[in-house]
Amino acid sequence: MTGDRHASFSRTLAAMQGHQQGHHGWNAFHRALLDLTASSDPALDRILAAVRHKRPSMSDSHLITLLGIAVRQLASTHPDVASVFEPGALPAERSRSLGAALDRHETEAVDLLTSHSNSFTGARRFLVPQLLIGGFARHFGVDEVRLLDVGTGLGALPRQLNNREVFDRFAADLTWLPQRPPYLDIPLAVRHGIDAAPLPTTDWVGSCHGPSAYYEDRWSELVWSLERAAATAGQVRLSALDVLDRAQLAGFLRTHRFNVITCNFVLYQYEREVRERLIAELVGQLAAPGLFLSMEPSHDLVRQGSRVTGYLAGDPRPLHLADAEDAHFIGRVTAGADLAAVIGPGTGGGS
């Protein structure tokens, strides 16, 4: 990497390593990675340079999370890598283990990092879209929602929508301020999800969950949710499509004329100018009345929380819909100033 990119990577990594929640298990890995970065480890430098060359638009925060996931994936197939995640390892030992693992498995690491993305799938992340899309459909008189979920992973969110059993289990741990919008069934006519090839496997998504009891709980929630939503799995059409392929994306959107698009924890993976272009392209292809709903980690993963932003078809202005104190949607969600513009007044969206 160039000096500027190396400095940017190091700053982001240091901030993520100091995250309030310790990233629920990733903190020790981030510290080891920070040690290797500071020492200009040759294998790590080669890997980062190779990834930057092939995926220049990747954000630092995504590259850091993806490194952890790739090493987790390597540990599942190479026993010699498992020591990187040994709970009782001293920091110096973990750093040496990580450096040795990257050196021994450099080619495989580069392959994973250049062909995959962070496909973490949270079982609770559909809670807010369920309420906002339902409210949007009622407020704008939409009787058929043609849904596209961008960066869908295993397709959990499209499956979960309108599943009251799954909603009620997880909604109990989410408090809305000043009040929760009403639960409304969404008039879903089409459930479609896209993700870059190769489409994420269950094994890969498992590696996206960190090495901690907290993430084990999140994983068990996802498995349960997918089981309870099995009846709608056949209604969800999953397609391999890279959103960075502008011609392919534009043609796909024109063909299907979606009126609701969700994009959750995807945009942070790209540099800012790429995010802005993607938003413009997705919003520009919405059928009216239409809603683009984005949930992204606050401050690019260096601090806790998530921000929910909306765009209405034909209007490029971002609407501040909500803020969640935890990106896994446990705890508080505070209504944003523009919520009423999407779900109407007096429904949790203010006056």
Side-chain angles (χ1 to χ4, degrees):
M1 289 190 294
T2 65
D4 288 346
R5 292 308 296 266
H6 189 280
S8 173
F9 181 86
S10 298
R11 285 194 301 269
T12 302
L13 177 56
M16 290 175 68
Q17 199 272 330
H19 192 281
Q20 305 102 305
Q21 295 176 323
H23 270 215
H24 297 302
W26 289 114
N27 181 274
F29 175 83
H30 290 159
R31 179 173 178 178
L33 186 59
L34 194 60
D35 289 344
L36 292 187
T37 303
S39 64
S40 297
D41 179 80
L44 175 61
D45 285 349
R46 290 192 300 269
I47 289 169
L48 294 179
V51 176
R52 288 297 191 197
H53 176 73
K54 190 164 184 179
R55 303 180 73 176
S57 64
M58 186 187 294
S59 67
D60 289 326
S61 54
H62 185 215
L63 180 50
I64 291 164
T65 62
L66 196 53
L67 271 164
I69 296 163
V71 176
R72 283 269 284 171
Q73 185 73 8
L74 290 172
S76 70
T77 54
H78 299 289
D80 61 297
V81 182
S83 59
V84 173
F85 298 103
E86 180 63 39
L90 296 174
E93 295 173 346
R94 195 183 310 278
S95 297
R96 284 194 294 271
S97 296
L98 177 58
L102 294 178
D103 184 56
R104 285 193 299 267
H105 305 289
E106 180 178 335
T107 300
E108 193 171 351
V110 169
D111 180 63
L112 288 169
L113 291 164
T114 55
S115 62
H116 290 72
S117 293
N118 183 354
S119 302
F120 178 87
T121 304
R124 299 167 178 266
R125 287 180 175 170
F126 89 105
L127 295 172
V128 173
Q130 174 71 55
L131 299 176
L132 299 193
I133 298 170
F136 160 78
R138 182 176 69 175
H139 182 51
F140 285 88
V142 176
D143 56 12
E144 283 193 349
V145 166
R146 300 183 301 282
L147 173 80
L148 172 65
D149 186 38
V150 175
T152 195
L154 299 174
L157 185 146
R159 295 192 209 182
Q160 293 171 308
L161 292 175
N162 288 347
N163 190 312
R164 192 60 190 262
E165 178 188 9
V166 177
F167 181 90
D168 285 344
R169 172 181 170 178
F170 298 131
D173 298 323
L174 199 62
T175 301
W176 278 77
L177 300 175
Q179 63 177 317
R180 192 185 89 180
Y183 177 97
L184 298 167
D185 275 334
I186 301 167
L188 283 164
V190 173
R191 308 184 194 214
H192 208 133
I194 58 172
D195 215 319
L199 288 174
T201 63
T202 302
D203 180 58
W204 175 255
V205 173
S207 292
C208 295
H209 287 66
S212 68
Y214 177 91
Y215 272 117
E216 289 176 3
D217 288 343
R218 304 289 80 75
W219 175 250
S220 66
E221 289 174 354
L222 177 60
V223 171
W224 177 85
S225 176
L226 291 174
E227 289 174 349
R228 305 311 295 180
T232 53
Q235 300 173 25
V236 180
R237 182 179 176 186
L238 300 180
S239 300
L241 190 151
D242 184 357
V243 294
L244 298 184
D245 186 329
R246 302 181 71 171
Q248 186 182 27
L249 177 63
F252 180 82
L253 295 173
R254 284 195 301 269
T255 296
H256 292 282
R257 298 296 292 158
F258 299 104
N259 57 359
V260 173
I261 299 177
T262 53
C263 187
N264 302 322
F265 295 82
V266 173
L267 296 175
Y268 88 93
Q269 298 180 5
Y270 306 112
E271 297 284 4
R272 190 159 303 279
E273 61 272 15
V274 177
R275 302 179 201 183
E276 293 172 355
R277 173 177 62 77
L278 278 173
I279 291 171
E281 291 173 348
L282 292 166
V283 174
Q285 293 286 351
L286 274 173
L291 172 67
F292 174 71
L293 191 62
S294 168
M295 297 193 300
E296 293 296 327
S298 302
H299 312 289
D300 291 342
L301 293 179
V302 303
R303 289 206 288 276
Q304 186 178 352
S306 173
R307 188 176 183 89
V308 185
T309 305
Y311 296 80
L312 295 173
D315 190 342
R317 294 174 300 172
L319 302 174
H320 179 202
L321 303 184
D323 293 293
E325 68 174 350
D326 188 310
H328 298 129
F329 290 84
I330 301 171
R332 292 192 304 272
V333 174
T334 303
D338 302 315
L339 183 58
V342 169
I343 67 171
T347 57
S351 57

